[in-house]
Amino acid sequence: MALPWWAKMGAKLLLTRLNIPYGFWRRMGLFRHGAMDDPVHAQQVFATHFAAYESPAPDFTCLELGCGDALSTALLARRAGAGRTILVDAGDFAATDADTYAALAAALGDAKAHTPPASRDDYLRANAAVYLTEGLASLRELPDKCADFVFSNAVLEHIRRDEFTDTMRELRRIQRPGGVGSHQVDFRDHLGGGRNNLRFGDAFWERPGVATAGFYTNRIAPSEMLKLFDACGFAVTVRSTSHHDGPPLPRRALHPQFEHVSDDDLRIAGYHVVLR
């Protein structure tokens, strides 16, 4: 039987207090940063976002924000014509074993699959990729206009609220004129697919222990996020939108901080935006 949202939340809060490395929880299947270590999923994600980059520049530079449990995009972007790939995350979460990347190469029918990489660093070098693990600080170290194609998949909602605008400003600075940003945003609570994250005020939700417990979302409303993209200098196109089947949360359950959120914003489960 599936655990209710509040039980999942409580369990994760308790587990993070144990200060056990993320790799252990990932192996146990209790915490995951996406599923980019699954070759089929990785291909689907990359293809969805790359479709938004309709006229790729020769030897384009790809930047993935929030690559999660594997650096699959390095090989996928290389096969798509990238001359360089920059992988940025808020920590070193990606698999270090060479078998993960050898499996990806084999699944893609890569001609070099018979000589798998000896290490993660070997894999990155072979695909002209770098892996940066300091989040916003890493973005700030990148030069202006250094990326043609920027994408993230279910990542923007996890950026700490007080870092969101700075992160988008950095992406605007990094993205070259004529470049494309493609971002899938999931506004659900990451506990059970509802909006139970709106039951809590910032006094609780923004505590460090909560923000690192594996279910944090910044609770920026869909319409507010679009305005922030615009304010950071992007031209925004909403490529697709998904909705909850019904009201995800009774209004009486909303924390007073979120009483102003419109019914339309509450009904949106996610969207895919293209930023130019």
Side-chain angles (χ1 to χ4, degrees):
M1 184 177 68
L3 290 174
W5 69 269
W6 50 266
K8 291 179 183 178
M9 181 174 167
K12 289 193 171 187
L13 284 170
L14 287 173
L15 289 172
T16 52
R17 290 177 179 269
L18 299 178
N19 201 30
I20 296 174
Y22 169 72
F24 173 81
W25 297 124
R26 181 179 62 198
R27 290 191 295 273
M28 295 294 290
L30 295 174
F31 291 92
R32 295 276 287 161
H33 290 296
M36 290 298 278
D37 53 349
D38 176 350
V40 174
H41 176 78
Q43 291 177 77
Q44 291 173 341
V45 167
F46 184 80
T48 296
H49 291 286
F50 195 61
Y53 187 28
E54 296 171 351
S55 302
D59 292 325
F60 66 90
T61 296
C62 171
L63 186 150
E64 181 186 11
L65 182 66
C67 35
D69 282 348
L71 308 177
S72 302
T73 294
L75 177 55
L76 292 165
R78 189 69 163 171
R79 284 170 58 92
R84 183 180 185 227
T85 298
I86 305 167
L87 305 161
V88 181
D89 216 327
D92 188 346
F93 306 122
T96 58
D97 60 292
D99 289 347
T100 295
Y101 306 107
L104 176 67
L108 292 173
D110 192 85
K112 298 179 181 178
H114 63 282
T115 55
S119 66
R120 188 176 74 179
D121 286 344
D122 182 40
Y123 165 80
L124 288 168
R125 281 192 297 271
N127 291 289
V130 294
Y131 181 36
L132 309 176
T133 58
E134 298 296 329
L136 178 57
S138 293
L139 292 177
R140 286 173 169 155
E141 293 174 358
L142 293 172
D144 293 355
K145 302 177 177 60
C146 66
D148 301 284
F149 170 53
V150 177
F151 82 95
S152 69
N153 198 71
V155 171
L156 297 189
E157 70 272 14
H158 293 295
I159 295 172
R160 291 293 295 270
R161 189 180 185 95
D162 61 0
E163 292 186 351
F164 187 87
T165 297
D166 285 346
T167 298
M168 296 315 302
R169 285 174 177 158
E170 289 302 311
L171 292 182
R172 173 67 278 182
R173 179 184 64 79
I174 290 164
Q175 188 172 306
R176 287 177 179 146
V180 170
S182 175
H183 304 276
Q184 182 71 44
V185 188
D186 185 352
F187 293 100
R188 295 173 297 178
D189 59 26
H190 294 54
L191 291 165
R195 299 297 289 275
N196 290 294
N197 49 358
L198 303 184
R199 294 175 180 269
F200 306 93
D202 283 351
F204 168 77
W205 197 258
E206 296 294 334
R207 291 178 183 176
V210 175
T212 58
F215 56 80
Y216 174 85
T217 55
N218 52 42
R219 285 116 41 95
I220 298 172
S223 61
E224 180 186 358
M225 191 173 286
L226 293 177
K227 292 176 182 177
L228 290 172
F229 294 147
D230 180 75
C232 291
F234 288 107
V236 187
T237 301
V238 179
R239 197 173 176 92
S240 63
T241 305
S242 60
H243 296 83
H244 294 281
D245 292 336
L249 189 69
R251 279 202 162 271
R252 65 179 180 277
L254 291 171
H255 187 274
Q257 180 180 331
F258 298 103
E259 288 178 347
H260 69 283
V261 175
S262 70
D263 289 341
D264 286 342
D265 273 337
L266 286 176
R267 282 194 294 266
I268 293 175
Y271 54 44
H272 180 187
V273 296
V274 174
L275 308 180
R276 292 182 171 86

